[in-house]
Amino acid sequence: MKHLLLMIVMLCFLGLIPETTKANGSPLPPMPSQAAVNNVISQTSGIPYTPLGVPNVVLNQLSNFTGVFANVRHQIDVDKSISYIKTTRRLTETVMPLLNSGSAVLDPDITAPGSEPRPGKIIGALFQPSRGVMVIVAIFKLNTFGCSNCEPEKIRFYYNSTQYHEYSIIWGQFNGQPSLLDQGSLIAHKYSCVTVGIEQVCWEPYSYSAVREEPTPKDIAYDAYTDAKDRYDLQVDFAVDDAVPDIVGQHQRTQCRQQLTNATSFNFLSQCRPNLVFTSAKEFQTNQPIGIFVVTHQTNLRAYNNGTGQFMGNLPTGRYLVRNATPSINTPGAIGVLQLINIDSNNHYLIPSMVMEGFAQSSAITEPRAAIKDGFVWGRCFGY
């Protein structure tokens, strides 16, 4: 016996017996059955979008612009505008697209005024409490009036009728005419965007401390990810640095809109409490999660039984890995299903979703990101 033990020790020392490795965690639960998925789809007609709108005081200030901007107040699509509201209930940014943005053409049709006049196109408006109300103008090269296929060079935010801030632009194109879901605007941690026809114009925050929230969303997402790695055998990493807060649920968003519409101060909107922090996976792998949801407060987001697909009421607060339960459904606007894998317990759920492109094809934005548009992650939006 002693000789046998000695031989085993020597073999281990020489590396001839492999070490026993500890598993990374339990396997992810199985994907829901097709019957359960079909039940969810049959009980829903998609996810009705509930807009937060735009404060009246902001719209009134747009009426103060003159010259080529004289009519901008009436060019804004209030219902497709998107706002970033921190977990502290403070509004930091509202991005307002053009009316009928899906049928617009991104061509220079005005002379953008100021110290360096250039061909330009009004593509929306922007409100940042830190800087005020501004008109968004895409700027083109000289002598490009009437060019319908010229790519813009810069973006300007006009804070009055002649003065502006100018920044680099991130330009992309959708795969054909964008769906209704992809028209309008959206806000991610690193970008804000508006759709103009088949094109999308994005820009980076001028100041993260002024128009984003750091580090709370990141910390919330990181804690959930850390615990998920301990419980499950995950094969994907997550962009926790890009986590964003959002308000989901028809009731919650309707209450927020009522207050936001008439607000004149934006430091604490009592009826606009974000109840979800979410982020996306850094890459796509079959049957792996595409995101993380942390439901921090009550929401009337519809939840369905993971096993049967039957309606169960509102999604409980909790921390969830998000998996696409309908990966073969990829037509923008089509109804799909997300599986929410509970990180803390065995209570998993299904929720309805819809397909959208989110970010247009761009050489600068090469990976999907979590974005505020009543919720968007990896080609799937969610909301009610």
Side-chain angles (χ1 to χ4, degrees):
M1 185 68 178
K2 291 181 180 179
H3 293 295
L4 178 60
L5 290 173
L6 180 61
M7 183 178 295
I8 292 173
V9 170
M10 291 179 65
L11 288 172
C12 288
F13 178 77
L14 294 173
L16 298 178
I17 293 181
E19 293 183 30
T20 301
T21 58
K22 183 179 182 296
N24 292 328
S26 303
L28 291 167
M31 293 283 278
S33 67
Q34 190 61 52
V37 168
N38 291 342
N39 277 340
V40 174
I41 293 176
S42 67
Q43 294 174 76
T44 65
S45 56
I47 50 170
Y49 177 67
T50 307
L52 294 184
V54 177
N56 286 329
V57 66
V58 171
L59 297 175
N60 291 337
Q61 288 180 47
L62 284 172
S63 299
N64 296 331
F65 285 80
T66 60
V68 293
F69 306 131
N71 194 45
V72 70
R73 160 67 178 84
H74 303 290
Q75 295 177 266
I76 296 304
D77 193 329
V78 171
D79 284 345
K80 285 189 170 66
S81 298
I82 302 295
S83 289
Y84 190 109
I85 299 175
K86 298 170 64 172
T87 58
T88 58
R89 310 186 207 189
R90 178 183 179 185
L91 174 71
T92 62
E93 181 174 81
T94 299
V95 180
M96 296 164 271
L98 295 175
L99 279 168
N100 304 313
S101 61
S103 59
V105 177
L106 187 56
D107 60 339
D109 56 8
I110 66 166
T111 297
S115 58
E116 188 182 353
R118 295 279 294 277
K121 173 81 173 186
I122 298 172
I123 60 174
L126 184 67
F127 173 56
Q128 296 169 337
S130 57
R131 297 199 295 184
V133 179
M134 295 169 279
V135 178
I136 308 173
V137 179
I139 301 300
F140 297 79
K141 292 180 180 179
L142 294 172
N143 303 316
T144 55
F145 279 108
C147 179
S148 60
N149 59 356
C150 291
E151 183 178 331
E153 283 193 316
K154 296 282 186 178
I155 193 167
R156 289 179 181 176
F157 302 136
Y158 280 83
Y159 51 90
N160 61 40
S161 300
T162 59
Q163 295 177 300
Y164 55 84
H165 308 289
E166 186 172 276
Y167 298 99
S168 298
I169 201 169
I170 301 169
W171 174 87
Q173 282 189 308
F174 289 98
N175 295 316
Q177 189 67 26
S179 68
L180 287 174
L181 291 169
D182 283 303
Q183 296 174 24
S185 53
L186 79 166
I187 301 175
H189 180 69
K190 291 182 178 177
Y191 307 104
S192 299
C193 305
V194 293
T195 296
V196 188
I198 63 171
E199 299 170 79
Q200 186 180 63
V201 173
C202 302
W203 59 92
E204 297 179 1
Y206 85 97
S207 165
Y208 281 92
S209 62
V211 297
R212 298 294 187 265
E213 181 175 15
E214 295 180 323
T216 300
K218 170 188 173 180
D219 292 345
I220 291 172
Y222 181 78
D223 287 345
Y225 176 40
T226 299
D227 289 345
K229 286 193 298 183
D230 290 340
R231 180 176 290 270
Y232 295 110
D233 184 14
L234 296 177
Q235 304 300 316
V236 291
D237 196 4
F238 293 86
V240 295
D241 289 352
D242 295 339
V244 290
D246 203 359
I247 301 169
V248 295
Q250 277 187 331
H251 175 68
Q252 287 80 5
R253 291 180 68 85
T254 299
Q255 281 189 317
C256 179
R257 176 170 185 154
Q258 291 171 351
Q259 182 179 39
L260 185 62
T261 297
N262 299 305
T264 56
S265 175
F266 306 98
N267 287 330
F268 183 80
L269 298 164
S270 60
Q271 300 301 311
C272 298
R273 178 173 66 177
N275 51 10
L276 176 68
V277 171
F278 63 103
T279 191
S280 64
K282 289 183 177 179
E283 66 279 337
F284 177 82
Q285 289 193 32
T286 303
N287 293 333
Q288 285 290 307
I290 62 172
I292 291 175
F293 283 4
V294 180
V295 182
T296 57
H297 300 91
Q298 182 182 14
T299 172
N300 67 324
L301 196 67
R302 295 171 292 177
Y304 297 79
N305 184 278
N306 182 64
T308 65
Q310 295 304 308
F311 180 65
M312 297 186 66
N314 296 333
L315 180 69
T317 58
R319 305 183 301 171
Y320 303 94
L321 294 170
V322 184
R323 189 157 62 179
N324 185 4
T326 50
S328 61
I329 298 176
N330 291 302
T331 302
I335 302 171
V337 175
L338 298 176
Q339 182 188 39
L340 301 188
I341 301 168
N342 200 318
I343 296 173
D344 301 327
S345 74
N346 294 321
N347 296 317
H348 313 309
Y349 301 94
L350 304 177
I351 64 171
S353 69
M354 294 182 75
V355 180
M356 61 181 288
E357 291 181 67
F359 293 98
Q361 299 298 310
S362 167
S363 59
I365 304 176
T366 57
E367 67 276 7
R369 296 177 183 272
I372 300 170
K373 192 184 178 73
D374 210 1
F376 168 79
V377 61
W378 264 102
R380 297 297 186 271
C381 65
F382 49 91
Y384 168 69

